[in-house]
Amino acid sequence: MTNKLINYLRTKNHQRSWDDVFAEIKDNGKIAHRVRMIDCEPVYQFYDTYSDDLILNSSAITISLQPVESFIPFHIHDYVEIMIPLVEDCEIVLEHTKIKVKQEDIIFMGNQTIHQVKPISKKGIVINIALKASAFSLNELNFLQAKESSSAISNLLFSLLSDEEYGEGRYSLFEINHNQKIVDLVYDIIGEYYFPEIQSDQIIKLEMLTLFSRLIRQVNYSDIKVKSNQRQKNNLLSLLLYIERNYKDITLTKMADNFGFNPNYLSDYLQKHTGKTFINLVHLQRVNVAARYLSYTNASIAKISNKVGYENPSYFYKIFKKYFGMSPAEYRKEIKK
C-alpha cells in the first residue's frame, strides 16, 4: 500500500509557478492578500484550502501536496498546518529561524505563524494537512490535557489545536525516529483521503486523534524540539470546555461557582476573550450539538430541542435559524441530499 500510495502521489506532485497559482486563485474569486513584509519579501494570507488541482475545499480536514521544485512565498494560515516529508527531508523557514524536518518527522505549524517551505526536489514528497478550528471539538481534544509526565507537550498540542489566539509564532517538531506505528498511521490517513470509501471522513478524524496520542507517547522515548513560552490559554479553554460539557442545563451562576468566580467577572471575561456573551456561547454549543443530531439521527425536532436544553421548540427554531440561516427541518433536508 505504501509504494502504491507514493507512486500515486507522484502523479499529482507537479512543479507550479507562484504567479500562475496566484492568478488562478484570483480567477476563482479568491485573493491571497499580502499582509506584511519580511526583509523585503511579502507575506501572504492563505485562509482558504485547496485541492492539488487548486479547487477550493472547505472541509475541516484537508490534505494536499507541496509542489516540487516550486517557490511558495512566506504566508500565514488561520488554521493549524501539519507538514510531513514522506520522501527526503525538507526545510521550513520561519520569521527568525530555519527548521530542518527529516523524512517522516512531523511538524505542527501554529495558526498565524509566518513560514514557507524551501523548494523540494523533484523526488521529494511533502504532505500538508490543514486542521481548521471546526475539525475537533474541545471535548474531543480534552484527552490531550493528560496529567502525565508528558503533560507539557500535551497541553501545548491542546492549545495549538484549539485556541485561535495561541498558535502565532509557534511550532512543534516531532522527531519520530521512523516509528513504524506512527508512519503506518500517517499513510493510512493519507490513503483514506485520496482513496475515500464509506466512513473515510470519520476514520480520518479518529486516526488524527490517535496520531496525537502516539506523538505524545513518543515524547517519552525520543528527543523532541518544541518552541513554546509560558503564555498558554488553558484557563479560557477550561471555561469553554465546561460550557461544551454542561450546555444543556448550564447557568452563569453555576459555572461561576464551579470556578470560584464572581458571575459578573466571568461574564466580562468570556466577552473580552471570545467576543461572545455567555448566553451566545451556550446557544452556539447547543445548536451545534443539535445539528449533529439532525445529521445522524431520525429523532424528531421537538425531541432534539429538549435534548440540547430547549423546552420550547419554537424558541429552538428561532435560535437555530439565527446561527445556521435555516430552520432545523431545512437543515436536515439539506444535509441529507
Side-chain angles (χ1 to χ4, degrees), residues 106 108 150 152-154 156-157 171-177 215-227:
I106 300 174
F108 285 65
S150 59
I153 190 61
S154 300
L156 173 65
L157 276 183
Y171 69 87
S172 179
L173 174 61
F174 289 82
E175 298 178 337
I176 69 165
N177 299 324
L215 291 176
I216 291 169
R217 175 185 286 180
Q218 182 72 7
V219 173
N220 294 320
Y221 301 105
S222 65
D223 292 334
I224 181 170
K225 296 177 182 177
V226 181
K227 181 178 180 179

Side-chain angles (χ1 to χ4, degrees), residues 36 110-114 160 164-170 231:
R36 60 173 289 192
N111 63 74
Q112 305 299 331
T113 294
I114 297 171
L160 278 174
E164 294 179 3
E165 297 181 9
Y166 183 77
E168 185 174 354
R170 290 167 174 80
R231 188 181 70 84

Side-chain angles (χ1 to χ4, degrees), residues 45 47 75-79 110-114 164 167-169:
Q45 174 182 291
Y47 281 7
H75 57 277
I76 59 173
H77 305 298
D78 61 348
Y79 50 81
N111 63 74
Q112 305 299 331
T113 294
I114 297 171
E164 294 179 3
E168 185 174 354

Side-chain angles (χ1 to χ4, degrees), residues 13-195:
N13 207 5
H14 308 297
Q15 183 180 27
R16 290 190 183 278
S17 159
W18 164 243
D19 291 336
D20 291 344
V21 171
F22 188 88
E24 187 165 347
I25 292 173
K26 188 174 181 180
D27 287 344
N28 289 333
K30 301 290 182 180
I31 300 177
H33 298 285
R34 190 170 69 180
V35 292
R36 60 173 289 192
M37 302 287 289
I38 295 180
D39 297 331
C40 299
E41 290 191 55
V43 178
Y44 289 88
Q45 174 182 291
F46 294 170
Y47 281 7
D48 296 304
T49 50
Y50 294 85
S51 70
D52 295 316
D53 300 319
L54 292 183
I55 298 172
L56 188 65
N57 187 333
S58 59
S59 299
I61 301 175
T62 61
I63 299 178
S64 61
L65 284 157
Q66 184 76 17
V68 298
E69 300 181 317
S70 303
F71 167 79
I72 303 294
F74 281 112
H75 57 277
I76 59 173
H77 305 298
D78 61 348
Y79 50 81
V80 172
E81 183 176 36
I82 301 174
M83 288 170 275
I84 311 170
L86 300 180
V87 178
E88 298 189 343
D89 303 339
C90 74
E91 185 176 51
I92 298 174
V93 183
L94 277 70
E95 185 173 2
H96 302 296
T97 189
K98 295 180 181 179
I99 311 162
K100 184 173 182 179
V101 186
K102 297 178 182 178
Q103 182 172 317
E104 296 180 344
D105 284 351
I106 300 174
I107 185 167
F108 285 65
M109 196 62 58
N111 63 74
Q112 305 299 331
T113 294
I114 297 171
H115 66 284
Q116 68 175 169
V117 179
K118 284 288 189 181
I120 60 175
S121 77
K122 191 171 184 179
K123 294 181 179 180
I125 297 179
V126 176
I127 283 288
N128 302 313
I129 305 176
L131 301 178
K132 296 184 179 178
S134 57
F136 305 104
S137 69
L138 288 176
N139 201 43
E140 288 169 329
L141 294 174
N142 186 48
F143 75 95
L144 291 174
Q145 294 186 300
K147 302 298 186 291
E148 301 170 356
S149 59
S150 59
S151 61
I153 190 61
S154 300
N155 289 337
L156 173 65
L157 276 183
F158 181 77
S159 296
L160 278 174
L161 293 164
S162 58
D163 188 345
E164 294 179 3
E165 297 181 9
Y166 183 77
E168 185 174 354
R170 290 167 174 80
Y171 69 87
S172 179
L173 174 61
F174 289 82
E175 298 178 337
I176 69 165
N177 299 324
H178 306 289
N179 181 304
Q180 197 59 50
K181 289 185 177 180
I182 293 177
V183 172
D184 290 345
L185 189 56
V186 167
Y187 274 97
D188 199 60
I189 290 169
I190 298 169
E192 288 289 343
Y193 187 86
Y194 281 102
F195 301 98

